[in-house]
Amino acid sequence: MKKFNIRKVLDGLTAASSSSTAAAQPGTPRDNDAIQETVQSDHFQLCKTVRHGFPYQPSSMAFDPVQKILAIGTQTGALRLFGRAGVECYCQHESGAAVIQLQFLINEGALVSALADDSIHLWNLRQKIPAILHSLKFNRERITYCHLPFQSKWLYIGTERGNIHIVNVESFTLSGYVIMWNKAIELSTKTHPGPVVHISDNPMDEGKLLIGFECGVVVLWDLKSKKADYRYNYDEAIHSVAWHHEGKQFVCSHSDGTLTTWNVRAPAKPGQIITPHGKQPKDGKKPEPCKPILKVEYKTTRAGDPFMVLSGGLSYDTVGRRACLTVMHGKSTAVLEMDYAIVDFLTLCETPYPNDFQEPYAVVVLLEKDLVVIDLGQIGYPIFENPYPLTIHESPVTCCEYFADCPDDLIPALYSVGSRQKRQGYSKKEWPISGGNWGQGTQSYPEIIITGHADGSIKFWDASAFMLQVLYKLKTAKVFERARGKEEKPSTDIVEEDPFAIQTLSWCPESRMLCVAGVSAHVIVYRFSKQEITTEDVQLLEVRMQCEFSDVDSPDPGGEQTPTLPTSGAPSSPQETEPPTQPSTGSNSTDGPRDNIPCLQVRSSPLKQSPGYQVELVIQLVWVSGEPPQQITSLAINSSYGLVVFGNSNGLAVVDYLQKTLLLNMGTSELYSPSDHHQRQPRSPRKARQPSGALCDSNDGSNPSEDRCKSPTSAMYHLGSTSPCNSDEERKQKFIEKVKFKSRRFSKTVANDFAKMSRKISSSSEQKTDLALQAEERFQRWRSRTYKERFCDANKAATRMSLKPGVCRTKSAPNSHAKDNSFTRSRSSSVTSIERESREAISSFHFCESFPRKTDSLVSPCLLVGTTQGSVMMVAVGLPPAGDQRLQQPVGISSCGTLVRLKGGILTMALLDSTGALLPPSYESWYDPNASDEEKEKSRRRRPASLPSSQEGQDSQFAVVCSEKQAKVVALPSQTRIYKHNITETSFVLRADVVQMAGANCIACFCANGHIMTLSLPSLRPLLDVNYLPLTDMRIARTFCFSNLGQALYLTSPTEIQRITYSQETCDNLQEMLSELFTPVETPEAPNRGFFKGLFGGGAQSLDREDLFGETAAGKASRSLAQHIPGPGSMEGMKGAASGVVGDLARARIALDERGQKLGELEERTAAMMASAESFSKHAHDMMLKYKDKKWYQL
């Protein structure tokens, strides 16, 4: 029975939670009560900060030529605004409908968006977080096109029925002025003209409106007389229309790939018809039709020929050709190929006035997955170097890590090597989208984001101060040979696509050591160097890992497998018969199963390595008796120890990357000590181990274990790389294929994030319902679609190492047992599901300096190992002295049994000292491996690890462990649990990290039900619990990660990173740190009309639209046509826009409306009183006439 502790009551009162318990165990030090936790719930608040990356599924675009701000709308209702480098903004329409068109109120700090749900919205951009001022929802018409003239408050809206409505953008009310389609077209026309596809006013006469219908009819409408002046007919459908700035002619693009140029006063036929990409027949016939020209823009210059820019219009015989943008300038025609389909494009001009020479200088092209800006002022039309972080999706992101408060010299070092990777040939001009200002935040600590991609590349990003800039790109695929064609694709691949995809990574910012694991069961260790080198032979280490399951696991013992395998008299591996210079020595013949073959082939030619990250060692798991290797689920590197550890569903392996040797290769079940009460007993009898307690089974009890670690009860056993292999004993080994079980594909995503997506089954006696089985089968199908890979089978654990010339070749192949009662794969899905669920995989690692055993009084290097079934094991590491002895003497590894057991798979582990401060893993300061020996000695200093001693009966460390269900704090070296918290009962944790926050430490968790929670350390008091983001996409779970100082991020779409903060301080200062979109800029002066044009009326004609569209002249529009919805930011927007022309007019308009409404109410009350008075007077007069001649006695 647990003792009563008043601390539990206090914790429950302060945190309003009873799930955190502090049970005083016998022997628990009372010093724990002295730890003062400074972090409180007041330090936490959750909010979104910024979104980086390319807008996902773009649909429309607009540009403010005065503010120089670019707006992009998406098919999901998102709105992204871009200014100068570092100025970005994201907002979202609540409906989520696609944005079909955007229109800036030029230099007014406002934007109009039209959505596919037939609503239009007015955004206020004068505040750092834009808000909607007004919305208008059309009920009976579908919006197809919008047009807002420069410096006008009247918005033209074309509809699918062919009508045009007019909206006042100040009040967002409809005008009674409507242009009906049947009045616009000729009366003799018998068919409907189709939707409105274009609206624009004549640049020289605002009273003339050009309306384009889809059928090919263009109408020049006189707004004053309310009739059509001219009608222009063409047989082909119209896609877009563009004016010449003088207003005397316009150009139409058609569905047959033609451009027609019309003179305004000659509607009979077009003045010119051209087919830019059509083949001109010699006999003068009509050119062959081409693909539609989706958009055309016609821009003039003072000094030369006009520019005509168009998209589409290619010949139909160009099958497979990429999308093109065509630039026609004078007699030259340039066809610019794009990498993706063109969504929209805009020509950037010097003036916002449509009636002046446009002077185009650039073209912004919005592609499906990219944004390109073309320089029209240079020969060859080069593109501008894009300063935005729009290449996140260059290859699909497969993993993501976030590091805040990094060493100060890290970002400059990465930038210096990454700057050499930049492409050449960009335009020399400044980036033309240069509006907005940066935020004035106080957040100055360095932040780095690392993204791993499907093509094997790794990108380092500078994420400081709410910005994002790529620093350096590493291509891991360079290490391997590439198949040139499908016929050369190696048959040993375990994935059909993206064999180099990054699975997980481990990075030490202080030492700059990087370790990467790929989906083809390979691990690459990188060092950072500022010097270029050429590696003649890439160091290679091949590891053989299997896992054993017995035949009793299956209810169907029938059927046997008879694989073709070597007998006892034959060599166990053909490696022994091949020259020692061959790096890969497995068999891949059609007569027998593949064995000892890696999934990828390391390149044999010299590898030129540029400054940056350079390959130190490649580790590959190999095929075992026809079974592919299991993918790596967890990974860790420690620069101070010179060790790399990785694990999968078969077990774990520890590699000394300094000596290039394998130290330990052990199954998960073998990590438990024989007397460990936490150990999961096998579900079926296994052959007894040797009396010596060796961790590998012997063949018939005759052969001793080879190069394997002994049991934890035995003395420390050293695995050296220089011990020769016993080829005679290896030839006597019998390799008989085990029962083949299809295992679940463990990855960091699965092992850490989705281990609880289906029911966990720990014993074969548990029965599953049909619903659970269906859920598991659906989840397995989802997993198979992630990388389109085959599920890997696993057998017994064994190792083989093969080094390139110059490195000692060592081989370790433990014996295996033959099972006679094997069964075939024809089993029920339920049995397979149970077997997969019962497999215990390695889910996390943590290097530390701690007490390996309860009896230890001094700390020593250790490794904490977490599994998917909730066990945490302690592994002791025995390191030789530093210097030359470290490179010559072997490293000792010893398992010390289970430290603690939790519900659910282990996600993260950490160590605290007696004061509650975090004890980070020891590291070695960075030094350039290619520098001179003197420089190495100066910089190569191992970080001194603190060596706290533990007096008898006292604990000096706390181990923090978090799983998918629970969090526990264990005192060391006594290994007593002092705190426990049940994080969730109905869901499971996807990501958990121990982070620094407000000068203290805490655990941050993200659950599958969308909750983000933080727990204090070491007492595990709940500090934050917010229902933020329900898990709707596996991408979010795969990429969600926390960092120090209250920062977190996840991939919200395939192309975008969403950053959030759970820090109250950051939320309070968010307004200051965000960039500012609107900056006060004077509108350019209107073009000079000239003396003669002013005298004879040849200049632009203005129009008082208020007289035409106002309520006085046009009346009120039908209330059922559209519904006005006030925006949430209307009051704030009114204050923010008070200094603008539109703002002043809007404020005055609203004041007049309110006054008019009050006067109207007063008038109605006055009229009612007058009617009542008249009625009373009439009744009084009638009464007087009735009784005036009667006597008093006649009444």
Side-chain angles (χ1 to χ4, degrees):
M1 181 177 179
K2 297 180 180 178
K3 296 180 181 180
F4 176 79
N5 194 333
I6 189 63
R7 188 169 54 220
K8 175 180 176 181
V9 180
L10 295 177
D11 285 344
L13 292 174
T14 56
S17 173
S18 62
S19 59
S20 182
T21 61
Q25 305 282 347
T28 300
R30 301 306 301 170
D31 294 341
N32 298 333
D33 299 338
I35 297 179
Q36 298 295 328
E37 296 180 357
T38 58
V39 63
Q40 303 294 330
S41 58
D42 295 340
H43 293 116
F44 296 90
Q45 182 182 347
L46 192 69
C47 67
K48 294 182 179 179
T49 53
V50 290
R51 179 173 293 197
H52 303 295
F54 182 77
Y56 183 56
Q57 295 179 338
S59 56
S60 58
M61 180 172 57
F63 182 71
D64 188 328
V66 179
Q67 287 290 320
K68 296 189 182 301
I69 295 293
L70 181 72
I72 297 177
T74 72
Q75 297 180 22
T76 57
L79 199 60
R80 294 285 300 278
L81 297 115
F82 298 91
R84 66 178 62 186
V87 176
E88 298 181 49
C89 184
Y90 161 79
C91 26
Q92 175 73 42
H93 295 90
E94 290 185 2
S95 65
V99 181
I100 59 175
Q101 198 172 353
L102 296 171
Q103 291 277 323
F104 271 104
L105 277 69
I106 296 176
N107 204 28
E108 292 294 339
L111 176 71
V112 175
S113 59
L115 306 188
D117 64 351
D118 308 311
S119 62
I120 57 175
H121 307 268
L122 178 65
W123 291 85
N124 175 27
L125 307 183
R126 290 175 176 254
Q127 54 197 55
K128 290 192 173 182
I129 302 178
I132 294 178
L133 297 174
H134 301 283
S135 298
L136 194 65
K137 180 74 168 61
F138 281 77
N139 299 323
R140 297 182 301 179
E141 298 256 25
R142 301 297 306 271
I143 298 175
T144 57
Y145 194 86
C146 299
H147 172 62
L148 180 65
F150 179 48
Q151 293 183 330
S152 171
K153 67 175 183 179
W154 297 98
L155 174 69
Y156 301 101
I157 297 179
T159 67
E160 193 176 40
R161 293 184 180 180
N163 304 323
I164 295 178
H165 301 276
I166 303 172
V167 176
N168 188 326
V169 295
E170 295 174 356
S171 60
F172 250 51
T173 56
L174 276 171
S175 168
Y177 192 110
V178 181
I179 303 176
M180 305 300 291
W181 67 270
N182 54 355
K183 294 183 179 180
I185 65 172
E186 297 183 25
L187 297 177
S188 59
T189 305
K190 298 180 180 180
T191 58
H192 191 278
V196 176
V197 297
H198 178 80
I199 305 172
S200 60
D201 47 358
N202 190 314
M204 287 296 180
D205 190 352
E206 297 176 351
K208 307 294 183 181
L209 196 68
L210 194 68
I211 307 169
F213 296 94
E214 188 182 56
C215 68
V217 175
V218 180
V219 177
L220 187 65
W221 182 264
D222 190 322
L223 292 172
K224 291 182 179 179
S225 62
K226 299 181 181 180
K227 65 178 183 179
D229 284 351
Y230 300 102
R231 297 181 178 90
Y232 314 88
N233 295 286
Y234 193 71
D235 295 337
E236 297 294 335
I238 290 178
H239 285 276
S240 68
V241 182
W243 278 101
H244 187 279
H245 83 276
E246 293 180 349
K248 296 179 180 179
Q249 63 181 12
F250 58 89
V251 178
C252 300
S253 68
H254 299 275
S255 59
D256 62 345
T258 59
L259 294 174
T260 56
T261 304
W262 298 82
N263 294 321
V264 172
R265 300 183 181 275
K269 64 178 183 178
Q272 186 182 22
I273 302 176
I274 60 172
T275 307
H277 298 287
K279 297 179 180 179
Q280 299 293 336
K282 296 181 179 180
D283 53 2
K285 294 182 179 180
K286 188 176 181 181
E288 295 180 1
C290 296
K291 297 177 183 178
I293 297 177
L294 301 178
K295 185 176 182 179
V296 62
E297 289 199 348
Y298 193 15
K299 303 298 180 181
T300 56
T301 60
R302 295 182 186 273
D305 297 322
F307 282 87
M308 196 173 291
V309 186
L310 55 101
S311 63
L314 296 178
S315 176
Y316 279 104
D317 59 6
T318 56
V319 180
R321 188 174 180 180
R322 293 184 294 182
C324 295
L325 186 79
T326 305
V327 180
M328 303 172 64
H329 183 216
K331 296 182 180 180
S332 67
T333 300
V335 180
L336 310 177
E337 285 194 353
M338 302 293 161
D339 292 334
Y340 307 99
I342 297 175
V343 177
D344 196 5
F345 73 88
L346 294 170
T347 307
L348 308 188
C349 302
E350 296 289 351
T351 177
Y353 294 94
N355 57 357
D356 193 9
F357 286 98
Q358 300 300 293
E359 302 294 343
Y361 59 89
V363 179
V364 180
V365 187
L366 178 63
L367 308 178
E368 283 186 349
K369 296 183 180 181
D370 201 1
L371 180 71
V372 177
V373 182
I374 301 169
D375 186 357
L376 294 179
Q378 294 188 27
I379 300 174
Y381 304 130
I383 64 173
F384 289 87
E385 184 177 5
N386 199 322
Y388 307 137
L390 303 183
T391 59
I392 294 173
H393 64 286
E394 188 175 17
S395 177
V397 177
T398 55
C399 70
C400 189
E401 294 294 338
Y402 189 9
F403 300 87
D405 201 13
C406 299
D408 294 333
D409 60 343
L410 196 53
I411 290 180
L414 290 169
Y415 180 80
S416 63
V417 296
S419 59
R420 307 178 188 181
Q421 300 176 333
K422 292 186 177 180
R423 290 174 48 190
Q424 303 297 325
Y426 290 111
S427 172
K428 298 180 181 179
K429 297 181 181 178
E430 295 288 334
W431 180 252
I433 306 169
S434 56
N437 287 320
W438 296 314
Q440 303 297 325
T442 58
Q443 185 174 319
S444 58
Y445 50 84
E447 299 174 78
I448 292 179
I449 297 173
I450 304 179
T451 54
H453 300 265
D455 64 351
S457 62
I458 297 175
K459 292 182 180 179
F460 293 78
W461 306 82
D462 179 8
S464 308
F466 284 172
M467 297 184 185
L468 194 68
Q469 180 185 8
V470 65
L471 293 172
Y472 172 70
K473 180 179 179 181
L474 172 65
K475 296 180 180 179
T476 64
K478 287 183 176 181
V479 181
F480 303 101
E481 299 284 358
R482 285 182 175 268
R484 298 182 180 179
K486 293 184 179 179
E487 65 279 358
E488 299 182 24
K489 189 173 183 179
S491 58
T492 56
D493 283 0
I494 60 175
V495 290
E496 295 178 2
E497 295 182 1
D498 301 326
F500 309 108
I502 305 300
Q503 185 91 346
T504 182
L505 58 88
S506 176
W507 187 52
C508 178
E510 289 79 12
S511 65
R512 305 181 189 176
M513 290 296 299
L514 174 67
C515 190
V516 179
V519 294
S520 295
H522 62 274
V523 176
I524 310 176
V525 181
Y526 288 94
R527 283 188 185 273
F528 186 84
S529 175
K530 295 183 178 180
Q531 301 181 19
E532 181 179 308
I533 63 170
T534 299
T535 304
E536 295 296 332
D537 294 309
V538 176
Q539 298 292 320
L540 172 63
L541 186 66
E542 293 180 353
V543 178
R544 182 183 175 97
M545 296 182 71
Q546 316 170 240
C547 189
E548 176 183 333
F549 279 87
S550 63
D551 56 308
V552 190
D553 294 346
S554 173
D556 180 18
E560 293 186 0
Q561 290 179 334
T562 57
T564 304
L565 288 169
T567 62
S568 59
S572 62
S573 171
Q575 177 183 0
E576 297 154 6
T577 61
E578 295 186 2
T581 57
Q582 296 296 327
S584 181
T585 57
S587 63
N588 191 19
S589 64
T590 57
D591 297 335
R594 303 186 188 96
D595 194 43
N596 294 339
I597 304 172
C599 300
L600 300 174
Q601 184 179 357
V602 175
R603 63 183 297 168
S604 56
S605 58
L607 177 63
K608 182 180 179 181
Q609 303 199 68
S610 302
Y613 276 100
Q614 299 170 352
V615 179
E616 174 82 2
L617 177 65
V618 178
I619 308 167
Q620 289 184 287
L621 301 186
V622 297
W623 286 64
V624 179
S625 302
E627 296 298 333
Q630 292 291 298
Q631 290 185 348
I632 294 167
T633 60
S634 53
L635 179 71
I637 188 171
N638 187 280
S639 59
S640 179
Y641 307 155
L643 300 180
V644 169
V645 58
F646 57 91
N648 58 14
S649 57
N650 292 340
L652 81 159
V654 182
V655 173
D656 183 346
Y657 67 81
L658 297 179
Q659 299 184 22
K660 313 295 188 297
T661 58
L662 179 67
L663 300 177
L664 178 68
N665 182 14
M666 184 181 290
T668 308
S669 60
E670 296 171 329
L671 287 171
Y672 297 95
S673 62
S675 59
D676 198 341
H677 66 279
H678 290 289
Q679 181 180 9
R680 283 192 178 275
Q681 297 298 328
R683 290 171 292 146
S684 60
R686 300 181 67 179
K687 294 196 174 182
R689 290 192 176 95
Q690 292 181 347
S692 62
L695 293 180
C696 63
D697 298 339
S698 63
N699 188 11
D700 300 330
S702 59
N703 293 338
S705 61
E706 302 177 35
D707 294 345
R708 295 298 302 272
C709 185
K710 293 184 180 180
S711 67
T713 58
S714 61
M716 188 83 73
Y717 187 78
H718 298 287
L719 291 172
S721 63
T722 59
S723 60
C725 56
N726 193 334
S727 59
D728 294 333
E729 291 184 0
E730 288 183 0
R731 290 192 178 93
K732 296 178 182 179
Q733 294 176 359
K734 296 181 179 180
F735 286 88
I736 300 178
E737 189 177 21
K738 295 290 184 180
V739 180
K740 299 178 180 178
F741 289 84
K742 270 200 171 185
S743 67
R744 68 193 322 192
R745 181 197 130 221
F746 284 102
S747 64
K748 185 173 183 181
T749 309
V750 179
N752 289 1
D753 303 342
F754 308 119
K756 288 296 183 180
M757 190 67 75
S758 56
R759 292 180 57 189
K760 293 262 182 172
I761 293 183
S762 59
S763 65
S764 59
S765 61
E766 293 183 49
Q767 300 296 327
K768 292 195 174 185
T769 62
D770 293 338
L771 184 61
L773 292 175
Q774 293 174 6
E776 282 191 1
E777 290 174 0
R778 286 197 300 270
F779 183 54
Q780 298 295 340
R781 287 198 297 270
W782 169 83
R783 259 202 294 258
S784 65
R785 291 194 298 269
T786 306
Y787 290 108
K788 300 181 180 179
E789 59 188 344
R790 300 185 295 273
F791 287 124
C792 307
D793 302 333
N795 293 322
K796 185 184 174 188
T799 65
R800 180 176 65 87
M801 296 186 297
S802 174
L803 293 178
K804 289 268 186 171
V807 181
C808 180
R809 182 186 297 271
T810 305
K811 183 170 58 178
S812 174
N815 300 322
S816 58
H817 293 288
K819 303 291 188 199
D820 296 331
N821 297 329
S822 60
F823 59 93
T824 61
R825 290 180 182 270
S826 57
R827 297 166 292 175
S828 65
S829 61
S830 60
V831 176
T832 306
S833 179
I834 291 174
E835 291 159 358
R836 288 175 181 170
E837 289 293 344
S838 62
R839 180 75 64 84
E840 186 171 15
I842 306 298
S843 59
S844 61
F845 294 110
H846 181 71
F847 283 103
C848 58
E849 305 229 352
S850 184
F851 305 94
R853 301 171 183 83
K854 292 183 179 180
T855 57
D856 291 340
S857 59
L858 292 176
V859 299
S860 61
C862 298
L863 172 65
L864 291 175
V865 181
T867 71
T868 55
Q869 293 188 2
S871 295
V872 178
M873 275 82 75
M874 182 79 80
V875 177
V877 179
L879 293 174
D884 294 337
Q885 297 184 45
R886 173 63 183 87
L887 302 177
Q888 296 173 2
Q889 298 181 13
V891 177
I893 303 291
S894 175
S895 177
C896 302
T898 303
L899 174 66
V900 68
R901 184 67 182 266
L902 285 76
K903 294 181 181 178
I906 304 300
L907 299 179
T908 189
M909 298 171 286
L911 223 61
L912 306 178
D913 64 9
S914 58
T915 64
L918 188 66
L919 291 174
S922 59
Y923 59 84
E924 185 179 58
S925 298
W926 175 78
Y927 67 94
D928 197 326
N930 301 318
S932 62
D933 294 338
E934 294 181 359
E935 294 179 0
K936 287 183 182 180
E937 292 300 325
K938 290 180 180 179
S939 58
R940 187 174 183 177
R941 301 187 187 94
R942 176 178 167 181
R943 175 179 171 268
S946 58
L947 298 174
S949 61
S950 177
Q951 298 179 3
E952 190 69 27
Q954 291 189 355
D955 293 320
S956 59
Q957 287 185 349
F958 302 102
V960 180
V961 184
C962 184
S963 72
E964 296 166 328
K965 290 288 188 180
Q966 294 177 325
K968 288 184 179 181
V969 175
V970 179
L972 296 176
S974 65
Q975 298 185 5
T976 56
R977 188 259 296 170
I978 58 173
Y979 295 103
K980 172 186 172 183
H981 178 76
N982 293 324
I983 299 174
T984 177
E985 295 292 341
T986 59
S987 184
F988 58 95
V989 180
L990 293 167
R991 178 72 184 238
D993 290 292
V994 177
V995 295
Q996 297 178 1
M997 176 72 183
N1001 304 298
C1002 63
I1003 300 178
C1005 305
F1006 173 55
C1007 293
N1009 58 9
H1011 283 251
I1012 292 180
M1013 295 175 284
T1014 59
L1015 306 173
S1016 68
L1017 287 177
S1019 66
L1020 301 179
R1021 289 181 297 109
L1023 300 173
L1024 174 72
D1025 188 352
V1026 177
N1027 187 4
Y1028 169 69
L1029 180 72
L1031 183 62
T1032 57
D1033 196 334
M1034 297 302 176
R1035 181 188 310 104
I1036 298 174
R1038 187 175 69 246
T1039 58
F1040 198 102
C1041 50
F1042 294 98
S1043 188
N1044 294 328
L1045 305 176
Q1047 306 300 322
L1049 63 83
Y1050 59 92
L1051 213 67
T1052 184
S1053 73
T1055 63
E1056 296 170 293
I1057 287 178
Q1058 177 66 56
R1059 295 170 66 177
I1060 62 175
T1061 181
Y1062 50 96
S1063 166
Q1064 176 70 51
E1065 181 183 2
T1066 304
C1067 292
D1068 293 341
N1069 299 326
L1070 186 60
Q1071 285 286 343
E1072 297 179 4
M1073 291 187 283
L1074 291 178
S1075 56
E1076 194 171 10
L1077 288 170
F1078 180 81
T1079 53
V1081 179
E1082 291 186 5
T1083 303
E1085 294 184 0
N1088 190 2
R1089 297 175 62 185
F1091 174 76
F1092 291 102
K1093 287 185 177 181
L1095 183 62
F1096 298 104
Q1101 302 294 321
S1102 60
L1103 173 70
D1104 190 353
R1105 295 185 176 92
E1106 184 68 32
D1107 291 343
L1108 285 176
F1109 307 144
E1111 185 176 327
T1112 305
K1116 292 184 178 181
S1118 173
R1119 292 184 178 180
S1120 62
L1121 180 61
Q1123 177 186 0
H1124 177 259
I1125 304 171
S1130 56
M1131 292 304 297
E1132 299 174 4
M1134 193 62 62
K1135 295 176 182 178
S1139 59
V1141 177
V1142 174
D1144 293 334
L1145 292 174
R1147 187 170 57 179
R1149 177 68 179 178
I1150 290 177
L1152 288 174
D1153 288 346
E1154 292 177 353
R1155 182 181 178 188
Q1157 184 178 0
K1158 292 179 181 179
L1159 289 175
E1161 293 175 356
L1162 179 62
E1163 184 180 358
E1164 291 176 359
R1165 289 197 296 268
T1166 303
M1169 292 176 62
M1170 291 179 62
S1172 177
E1174 289 179 0
S1175 177
F1176 179 79
S1177 175
K1178 181 179 179 181
H1179 286 301
H1181 183 70
D1182 292 341
M1183 201 68 126
M1184 182 268 293
L1185 293 176
K1186 182 178 180 179
Y1187 296 108
K1188 72 175 182 176
D1189 296 332
K1190 293 184 179 181
K1191 302 296 184 180
W1192 63 269
Y1193 53 84
Q1194 293 177 332
L1195 297 177

